[in-house]
Amino acid sequence: MKTYTFVCLAGNQVATAVDIQDLAEDAYRRHALSLLRDHASAETIEVWRDEAVIALVERAGAFLGAPAAG
């Protein structure tokens, strides 16, 4: 497990939420996508490990899944 910091950024690059998680190395992208689903104001999720950005997950082009039929 590694510690990741997820920063939700609005379109104007203002941080709207920060989330810190201990995750398996292959799970950080899935968590970033779940944050995009949960935070409508986020356009991009910066994924940090230690002192470096390791990924940018953008809403544009991301498959977030269809809402459940009801």
Side-chain angles (χ1 to χ4, degrees):
M1 299 275 262
K2 296 185 184 268
T3 301
Y4 296 91
T5 302
F6 299 85
V7 181
C8 300
L9 297 173
N12 61 359
Q13 298 300 299
V14 172
T16 58
V18 175
D19 186 42
I20 300 170
Q21 295 286 323
D22 288 327
L23 299 169
E25 195 164 344
D26 62 346
Y28 72 84
R29 181 167 170 75
R30 184 173 49 246
H31 185 71
L33 291 171
S34 74
L35 289 172
L36 286 173
R37 281 191 297 275
D38 294 344
H39 295 277
S41 63
E43 292 296 321
T44 303
I45 308 294
E46 283 184 345
V47 183
W48 290 75
R49 191 170 69 212
D50 299 324
E51 296 178 5
V53 175
I54 62 164
L56 294 173
V57 180
E58 297 182 354
R59 180 177 301 280
F63 177 71
L64 302 178

